[in-house]
Amino acid sequence: MSEPDTAETFTGSFTQQEPLPEAAVRAALAVLGHGRLHRYNTAPGEIAETALLEEDFAAFTGAKYCLAVASGGYALGCALRALGIGPGDAVLTNAFTLAPVPGAIAALGATPVFVETTEGLTIDMEDLAAKAAGAKALLLSHMRGHICDMDRLMAICAAAGLPVIEDCAHTMGAAWAGTPSGRHGAMGCYSTQTYKHLNSGEGGLIISDDADLMAKAILISGSYMLYPRHRAAPPPAAFERHRLTTPNVSGRMDNLRAAILRPQLAGLPARAARWNALYRVIEAGLAGTPGLRLVERPEAEAFVASSFQFLLPGWPAGQVRAFLARAALRGVELKWFGAPEPQGFTSRHDSWRYAPAQQLPQTDRILAGLIDMRLPLTFSDADAALIARILRQEAAAVLGSGEDRAAIPQAD
Ligand SMILES: *Cc1c(COP(=O)(O)O)cnc(C)c1O
C-alpha cells in the first residue's frame, strides 16, 4: 500500500473516558449532602449504597454473594487470603498479566509461578497441567479480556484439586459459553478503576457462591462486627465460624464510590455493545494487513472490548519501534509488551523480580510482537476506522522500507 500524500492524523485521546452519567452525579451529590460516606455509617432504616451495589452486582453476575472493596488489586489479595494462601505457597498465574496480579500473590509471602501464554493471549493448558502439581491455587487472569476455554481449564484444575480465583479486571460483563466471567472459579475479582468497565476512580468487587470464603472475605475487608449490615452476604452461621480467627486487613469501599457505580452498572450492557462495535471496526480495518496478525476470538467467548491487541509476529525490535513511533506521529498511541523495560501499564514477567526468575520462551516470543491499544468510549466508529487505516499504512511503510524485510514472516 502506498502512503497518501497528506497523511491523516488522529487527534483523540486514548486515556479520556466518558463523563459519568447524570444519575451517577446526582447519586454522588446525595451522599456528599448527607455525609455518611463510611459504609457502616447509616441512618436508622437506611441501607448503605455499598450494600446496595453488592446486591446489584450479585444479581448482575448471578452470584450468591458479593463484596465491594477498595481496589481490584485488593480484591485479588483478599480472595487469596480467604482461600488460606500464605507464606511459601506456590500460586499459579498467567505469565501475561498486569503487575497487581503477581503482586497480590507476593504480598502474602506466596510465590507466583507463571504459566505460558497462547497465540490467543490466554493461559496455556498444557503448561498449566504440567505445573498444577504442588501449587495451592490458580489466580487466573483474563488479561485484556481474552477468555480461555473455561470448561477445559476447570476440568484440569478440578483434576489437580486446584482452586481457581478469577481476575476479571477486563471481563466484567463478559462470558464463556453463556456463564458470566467470574462465575467459574471459587471467587471472581473485578476492578472499578478508571480504565476498567466501570469507573469509580479506584474500587473492586468480589463474588462467590461459597459461604465460608465470602464470610472470611467480608471479615478480612474490615467489617468489624458490623457484617449483619451486608445484604449480598452469607448467613450469620458462616460468620460465627470465622469472626474471631480472621485478621482485619481493611480495604472497604465507601458509599460515594458505590453510589456512582450503581447507575453505571445498569448501563454496562449498552457500553459493552459500543466497545465491541469499535473493536469490530478496527478488526475489519486491519484484516489482511501483511505482517500483522489479529487475535482470534472463540465463538464461546462473549467479550467486552475495552482494548484491542494484535501481533507483529517475528518483527525485529527495531521495526516494532519504528512502527510505534510512526503511529505515534499520527496520533495513535500504542503499547508494546515486548519492550525490555516496563513502560506505563505494560510490564512483563521478567520485570517482576521479587518472583523467582522463570523460563517462559513461548510467552516471550508472543509478547515480543504484542501491541496493545486502549479503546475509550469517547471514540466514534469513524475514529476507529481512521485508527485502523493509520496502522495499516504504517505497518506497510515499515515493512516496505525495512532492511530486514526478508526476515519478516507472513502472518497467515
Ligand atoms: C487493573 C487490573 C487489576 C487491578 O486493578 P486495580 O483496581 O488497579 O487494583 C488486576 N488485574 C488486571 C489484569 C488489571 O488490569
Side-chain angles (χ1 to χ4, degrees):
M1 184 181 293
S2 65
E3 241 179 305
D5 291 339
T6 33
E8 302 171 285
T9 55
F10 179 63
T11 54
S13 163
F14 282 81
T15 52
Q16 181 59 57
Q17 308 297 323
E18 288 186 301
L20 297 195
E22 264 306 308
V25 176
R26 280 197 303 274
L29 288 175
V31 173
L32 292 175
H34 64 56
R36 292 183 294 279
L37 273 77
H38 192 284
R39 68 169 297 160
Y40 301 122
N41 179 202
T42 48
E46 183 184 26
I47 301 164
E49 287 285 343
T50 312
L52 292 170
L53 171 68
E54 289 163 349
E55 278 191 318
D56 291 352
F57 198 70
F60 179 78
T61 53
K64 278 192 188 164
Y65 313 124
C66 178
L67 171 67
V69 294
S71 75
Y74 181 89
L76 299 175
C78 183
L80 290 169
R81 271 182 207 278
L83 212 59
I85 300 300
D89 290 341
V91 177
L92 300 179
T93 193
N94 305 55
F96 171 48
T97 185
L98 226 65
V101 180
I105 298 168
L108 293 171
T111 304
V113 176
F114 299 115
V115 182
E116 289 274 28
T117 312
T118 68
E119 301 271 331
L121 305 184
T122 57
I123 198 162
D124 185 288
M125 300 285 173
E126 275 82 39
D127 198 37
L128 172 65
K131 289 173 177 166
K136 281 279 167 58
L138 168 65
L139 178 47
L140 175 68
S141 187
H142 304 296
M143 179 62 172
R144 290 293 186 262
H146 297 275
I147 305 178
C148 68
D149 180 338
M150 289 304 297
D151 302 313
R152 195 170 160 211
L153 178 123
M154 291 310 295
I156 290 172
C157 291
L162 205 59
V164 178
I165 294 173
E166 291 181 72
D167 165 25
C168 304
H170 303 153
T171 54
M172 185 188 285
W176 178 265
T179 299
S181 185
R183 297 282 292 126
H184 296 85
M187 302 190 106
C189 301
Y190 306 78
S191 168
T192 62
Q193 185 240 77
T194 294
Y195 296 111
K196 312 301 165 89
H197 299 174
L198 304 180
N199 178 8
S200 60
E202 304 286 354
L205 292 157
I206 308 175
I207 58 166
S208 183
D209 282 354
D210 185 307
D212 286 284
L213 287 179
M214 188 52 86
K216 283 194 256 182
I218 291 171
L219 292 164
I220 290 164
S221 77
S223 59
Y224 306 103
M225 293 299 153
L226 300 169
Y227 49 79
R229 292 195 202 165
H230 286 247
R231 294 166 69 88
F239 290 95
E240 289 300 322
R241 289 195 285 275
H242 304 293
R243 61 200 282 267
L244 302 179
T245 50
T246 304
N248 175 324
V249 186
S250 281
R252 295 170 301 271
M253 184 182 279
D254 58 82
N255 287 331
L256 180 57
R257 287 192 248 176
I260 64 176
L261 287 169
R262 293 182 62 216
Q264 292 182 63
L265 180 60
L268 181 55
R271 284 158 58 83
R274 286 169 56 213
W275 261 311
N276 291 352
L278 292 176
Y279 185 95
R280 293 303 186 192
V281 170
I282 294 184
E283 188 180 49
L286 290 181
T289 303
L292 186 152
R293 185 184 302 156
L294 296 172
V295 178
E296 244 175 80
R297 309 302 305 240
E299 224 176 87
E301 181 198 34
F303 58 84
V304 180
S306 49
S307 65
F308 194 100
Q309 290 74 42
F310 58 90
L311 295 158
L312 303 175
W315 285 38
Q319 292 203 329
V320 176
R321 283 204 187 85
F323 174 69
L324 297 178
R326 295 183 65 111
L329 276 176
R330 296 181 66 183
V332 179
E333 194 186 308
L334 303 172
K335 302 283 187 243
W336 178 34
F337 275 94
E341 286 298 319
Q343 280 169 358
F345 288 95
T346 50
S347 64
R348 14 178 305 140
H349 67 87
D350 49 9
S351 28
W352 305 325
R353 295 199 191 143
Y354 46 80
Q358 294 164 52
Q359 294 301 312
L360 295 149
Q362 185 178 315
T363 298
D364 291 344
R365 178 174 57 74
I366 289 163
L367 295 189
L370 178 59
I371 306 296
D372 179 45
M373 177 168 71
R374 289 187 200 281
L375 286 184
L377 285 175
T378 45
F379 290 2
S380 66
D381 284 6
D383 291 335
L386 170 58
I387 289 166
R389 277 200 303 281
I390 290 172
L391 294 178
R392 204 182 170 95
Q393 289 162 3
E394 296 307 334
V398 171
L399 291 193
S401 68
E403 284 164 23
D404 301 319
R405 189 175 190 183
I408 303 291
Q410 282 296 301
D412 32 292

